[in-house]
Amino acid sequence: MNRTPSASVQFATLAVTAFALAFLIYPTAWVFIASLKTPDTMFSATRWSMTLENYTRLFAAGFGHNVLNSLVLCIGAVLLSTFVSVNAAYAFSRFRFRGRGTLFATVMLGQTFPWIILVTPVFILFARAGMLNNWGSMLFVYVAISIPFSVYLLVGYLRAVPRSLDEAAIMDGASYFQVVWRIVFPIMFPGIVATATYAFLLCWSEYLFSVALLTQEEMKTMPLALYIYFGENVTDWGNVMAGSALTTLPTLLLFLPLQRYMVSGLAAGSVKQ
Amino acid sequence: MHANAKGFVAFALVPAFFFLGAFYVYPFVFNLDISATDLDIFQLRDGGRWIGLENYIELLTSPGFRRVMFNTVIWLTVVGVTVRIVLGLALAFLLDSRTIRAWRLSTLTRILLIVPWATPPVVAIVVWRWILDPRVGAANQFLMWLGFIDQPIPFLADANWVWPSIILIITWNTLPLVTLTFMASLQSLPGELVEAAEIDGASRTQLLRYIYLPHLKPAIIVMAMMSTFWTFNNFIYVWLTTGAGPGTFTNVMATEIYIKGFIDGRLGYSAAAGVVMAMIMTAFGMIYLRYVAARALVEEEDR
C-alpha cells in the first residue's frame, strides 16, 4: 500500500520544501554569484555585471600563497591522521586486550574536549620550545584534533567488514599490517575517504589554533587570510566573496559524492540495525 | 592473545596515544599548573607567581561570569540544540515524505541539503554577516521591500536580535547533518510497521507518538549530545560573528577564555576559566560515553 497524498497536500509539501531549500542554499549560492559581480552591482539584486576581477585582485594580493599553505598542511595532516586512525581503529575493533575499554573511552572523550582550553597551554609550550610559526607544530595540532573523531567513525565502518575475510588472510600467513592495508583498506575505502573528508574539513576551516600559533604573514592559512580581508576598515566585499568561494569549492566537491557514507558513519551509533 | 597480535596492537595504538597524550593530556595538566599562577603574556618564559586558588575565586565571583554561564548554557546549548533538533525533525519528515518520493525529488533535495553543511563555518559566518548587515545586507533589503520594517535592523549589534542571529547562523550551518541523520533513521524504519498501523486506523498524532518518535529516539539523543558538545565547545561562531559584543553581551565560555588569555594577556586567569569549562564538559562527556561511545564497542562484541 503506498497511498499518494491529495493534490493540495502535495502542493503544500512541494512549496514548503522549495522554500526550505532556497533558504538553505541562498547564502552559499550568493558567495559564488557575488564573487563574480563588479563592485557597483555587488549589492544589487537586479543589476548584474560579471567579472573575474575579484579573483585576479585576490591573487595579486597574495591569496594564492594562503591557498597553498592550507592545501599542503591539510593534505599532510589528513594523510598522517588517517594512517594513525585506521591502525588504531582496527586494533580496537578486532582485538581484546587489557585496558581496551578505558583506552577507547579516552579516545572518545577527546571528542567532547573543548580545544579552546588547550590553546593557552599549547601556545606557551610552543613559545618556550621556539615552535610558533612552524609547519611541524601545525601538522601535529591538526593530526591530534582529528584523531578522536576519525577513530570513532572508522570503528563504525569496520563493523561492516566481515571478520572472516581478515581471519582467512591471517591463516594464509599475512601479517596484521598487511591485512589492514591490503585487505581491509580496499573494502572500507569509501568509509576511509568519508573519514578523511571530515578530517580535511576540520583542518581546512580551522581558525582557533592557526590564529594563535601562526603570526607570520606568509604562513597564514585561508581562513585567517579571509578574516584579515574581512576585518579591514572598509571591507572589500569582492575580495572576501572570491576568497570565500575558493574556500568553499573543495569541501563542496568532496561532500557531494560522499554524503551517503558520511551520514551512515555518523548515524552508526544512533540508527538501530 | 598471540605475540604477533600484541605487537600489532602496540604498533597501532602507540602513535594515536602519543598524539592524544601530547596534545590533550599534557597541555591540560600544564594548564592546571598555570591556573594557580598569575602568569601573563609578558613573562612567558619565567612562569608566573603561585597564587593558589585566587584566579578561581575571582572568576566565580566576578559579575561577568554569570552572564557567560547563562549565555553558554541557555543560549548556545539549550536554545541552539533544541532549535536544531526540532527543525531537523521537521525537515527530515518533509524530505522523506511520500510527495517528495512520488515526484522523484529525493536525490535532488538531498544534494541541495548538503550545501550548508559543506560550507566551512568561517565562510558561513562571513556570508551571514553580509546578509545581516544593516547597510548592504540582503535580509534588511528584503524585509523593507516586503514592508515589514521601514528602518534597517542592526541584527548583530542590537541586544534583542543578536542571540537569535547567532543561533540562526549556527542552525543554518549544522542543520543538514542533523536532518540527514534523522532521515537515515527514518529510512531504517520497516514500512510494514507504518502500513499496519495505518490499516488499524492510527491517526497522524498516534503514528508520530507510538511509531516514529520511539524509533527516532536514539538518533535524537545522539544528535542532541553531539550538537551540545559541538556548540558548547565552539569558539568561532560567537567570536567571528559578534566578537562577544555588543560590549560583553554575547560573551560565552570559549570567548571569555580567549579574551582573557590572548587579548588581556592574563594567561593564568584564562587557564582557570579553562579548567572550569573542562570540568563541565567532562561531566557531560561521561554521559556521552555511557550512551554513544560505549555502544560503538559493545555492539561489536555482540557479533
Side-chain angles (χ1 to χ4, degrees), chain A residues 65-124:
Chain A
H65 210 79
N66 305 114
V67 176
L68 203 65
N69 287 347
S70 275
L71 267 181
V72 172
L73 188 57
C74 292
I75 292 174
V78 166
L79 291 178
L80 190 52
S81 116
T82 305
F83 179 76
V84 171
S85 305
V86 168
N87 282 322
Y90 187 79
F92 278 123
S93 164
R94 297 293 200 261
F95 298 100
R96 301 289 150 77
F97 48 88
R98 207 141 42 94
R100 173 171 171 264
T102 317
L103 288 177
F104 190 68
T106 315
V107 179
M108 292 303 98
L109 269 185
Q111 277 186 66
T112 67
F113 203 85
W115 299 330
I116 181 78
I117 293 170
L118 301 170
V119 176
T120 314
V122 166
F123 173 77
I124 298 172

Side-chain angles (χ1 to χ4, degrees), chain B residues 124-125 128 132 156 164-173 237 241:
Chain B
I125 293 165
W128 275 101
L132 298 173
L156 296 174
S165 304
I166 295 173
I167 299 292
L168 171 75
I169 299 172
I170 302 177
T171 306
W172 177 82
N173 208 188
Y237 282 119
T241 341

Side-chain angles (χ1 to χ4, degrees), chain A:
Chain A
M1 189 178 89
N2 212 341
R3 293 176 302 123
T4 316
S6 69
S8 57
V9 170
Q10 283 191 41
F11 178 76
T13 311
L14 292 176
V16 176
T17 306
F19 178 78
L21 290 175
F23 176 77
L24 289 173
I25 292 181
Y26 170 75
T28 310
W30 187 258
V31 166
F32 287 93
I33 296 168
S35 75
L36 293 167
K37 287 179 113 183
T38 53
D40 52 319
T41 59
M42 176 70 69
F43 302 117
S44 165
T46 47
R47 286 186 307 132
W48 301 83
S49 177
M50 296 306 202
T51 174
L52 281 176
E53 207 216 315
N54 294 323
Y55 287 94
T56 48
R57 217 156 14 97
L58 189 69
F59 279 97
F63 196 69
H65 210 79
N66 305 114
V67 176
L68 203 65
N69 287 347
S70 275
L71 267 181
V72 172
L73 188 57
C74 292
I75 292 174
V78 166
L79 291 178
L80 190 52
S81 116
T82 305
F83 179 76
V84 171
S85 305
V86 168
N87 282 322
Y90 187 79
F92 278 123
S93 164
R94 297 293 200 261
F95 298 100
R96 301 289 150 77
F97 48 88
R98 207 141 42 94
R100 173 171 171 264
T102 317
L103 288 177
F104 190 68
T106 315
V107 179
M108 292 303 98
L109 269 185
Q111 277 186 66
T112 67
F113 203 85
W115 299 330
I116 181 78
I117 293 170
L118 301 170
V119 176
T120 314
V122 166
F123 173 77
I124 298 172
L125 290 169
F126 280 180
R128 285 185 182 163
M131 282 169 66
L132 297 176
N133 291 305
N134 178 314
W135 287 132
S137 37
M138 289 314 287
L139 194 72
F140 165 81
V141 169
Y142 287 166
V143 172
I145 62 174
S146 49
I147 284 177
F149 209 67
S150 297
V151 171
Y152 167 71
L153 286 177
L154 289 167
V155 166
Y157 292 122
L158 266 164
R159 271 193 259 154
V161 179
R163 270 161 194 267
S164 52
L165 276 175
D166 26 320
E167 277 158 10
I170 298 287
M171 291 296 191
D172 291 345
S175 73
Y176 288 109
F177 186 75
Q178 284 172 324
V179 170
V180 174
W181 296 99
R182 295 247 179 95
I183 317 266
V184 176
F185 181 78
I187 299 172
M188 58 183 286
F189 189 69
I192 289 176
V193 175
T195 310
T197 306
Y198 269 118
F200 183 81
L201 182 71
L202 209 57
C203 164
W204 191 247
S205 51
E206 203 284 326
Y207 184 85
L208 181 56
F209 285 101
S210 48
V211 80
L213 304 176
L214 295 176
T215 50
Q216 271 168 25
E217 214 51 58
E218 69 272 16
M219 296 200 63
K220 291 189 168 161
T221 53
M222 285 172 85
L224 287 185
L226 200 60
Y227 246 81
I228 292 166
Y229 292 123
F230 193 63
E232 283 160 4
N233 284 337
V234 181
T235 302
D236 180 342
W237 285 101
N239 253 349
V240 169
M241 290 300 173
S244 298
L246 287 175
T247 308
T248 311
L249 198 62
T251 59
L252 208 55
L253 293 179
L254 282 171
F255 265 58
L256 291 182
L258 285 169
Q259 45 98 356
R260 226 166 250 283
Y261 294 106
M262 294 199 287
V263 174
S264 75
L266 265 178
S270 62
V271 178
K272 280 188 203 155
Q273 299 299 319

Side-chain angles (χ1 to χ4, degrees), chain B:
Chain B
M1 205 162 59
H2 208 256
N4 214 343
K6 269 189 182 156
F8 177 78
V9 170
F11 160 80
L13 293 183
V14 166
F17 281 90
F18 161 74
F19 280 101
L20 295 174
F23 181 75
Y24 294 90
V25 183
Y26 181 66
F28 182 70
V29 172
F30 181 52
N31 203 41
L32 277 175
D33 182 21
I34 307 168
S35 74
T37 70
D38 65 355
L39 182 69
D40 70 44
I41 207 149
F42 306 107
Q43 36 154 343
L44 263 189
R45 275 168 204 282
D46 338 319
R49 191 168 51 90
W50 173 270
I51 54 168
L53 291 176
E54 263 178 52
N55 285 326
Y56 291 92
I57 294 164
E58 186 190 339
L59 177 78
L60 297 172
T61 55
S62 79
F65 188 69
R66 246 196 188 173
R67 163 166 287 166
V68 167
M69 283 310 292
F70 180 83
N71 283 342
T72 315
V73 173
I74 302 300
W75 276 111
L76 269 192
T77 310
V78 177
V79 177
V81 173
T82 311
V83 167
R84 253 174 293 174
I85 298 295
V86 171
L87 286 181
L89 276 175
L91 200 55
F93 277 117
L94 188 69
L95 297 184
D96 197 47
S97 67
R98 284 181 181 140
T99 307
I100 299 298
R101 274 186 267 151
W103 285 74
R104 301 187 177 279
L105 291 171
S106 300
T107 310
L108 180 69
T109 51
R110 209 174 227 286
I111 289 172
L112 296 178
L113 180 62
I114 301 292
V115 171
W117 186 25
T119 305
V122 179
V123 174
I125 293 165
V126 168
V127 66
W128 275 101
R129 276 185 63 172
W130 168 71
I131 294 174
L132 298 173
D133 188 279
R135 215 164 38 84
V136 293
N140 276 305
Q141 286 180 14
F142 185 64
L143 290 173
M144 281 164 72
W145 179 73
L146 284 177
F148 286 156
I149 52 173
D150 44 40
Q151 280 288 316
I153 301 169
F155 287 103
L156 296 174
D158 181 328
N160 293 316
W161 289 99
V162 63
W163 267 117
S165 304
I166 295 173
I167 299 292
L168 171 75
I169 299 172
I170 302 177
T171 306
W172 177 82
N173 208 188
T174 53
L175 192 62
L177 170 64
V178 179
T179 305
L180 284 166
T181 307
F182 291 159
M183 283 170 74
S185 176
L186 277 177
Q187 278 151 15
S188 74
L189 178 71
E192 310 89 61
L193 208 64
V194 181
E195 282 167 23
E198 278 176 339
I199 292 169
D200 291 344
S203 70
R204 265 161 196 276
T205 340
Q206 284 172 326
L207 273 181
L208 188 69
R209 191 163 160 203
Y210 298 108
I211 295 188
Y212 287 117
L213 286 184
H215 180 79
L216 283 163
K217 195 176 144 199
I220 295 173
I221 294 175
V222 169
M223 276 299 117
M225 286 199 290
M226 287 192 162
S227 307
T228 300
F229 64 72
W230 281 335
T231 24
F232 186 92
N233 293 344
N234 190 283
F235 162 75
I236 67 167
Y237 282 119
V238 172
W239 181 248
L240 297 184
T241 341
T242 63
T248 55
F249 188 77
T250 56
N251 203 9
V252 292
M253 284 302 294
T255 50
E256 169 77 357
I257 291 169
Y258 187 80
I259 293 170
K260 284 293 169 352
F262 284 85
I263 313 269
D264 300 349
R266 296 186 60 194
L267 297 172
Y269 184 83
S270 161
V275 173
V276 172
M277 186 178 183
M279 279 172 3
I280 301 172
M281 216 50 239
T282 307
F284 186 77
M286 292 298 171
I287 306 171
Y288 171 73
L289 217 56
R290 183 146 291 188
Y291 196 86
V292 183
R295 283 171 63 142
L297 277 191
V298 168
E299 278 173 34
E300 174 67 25
E301 273 155 7
D302 290 343
R303 302 211 158 191

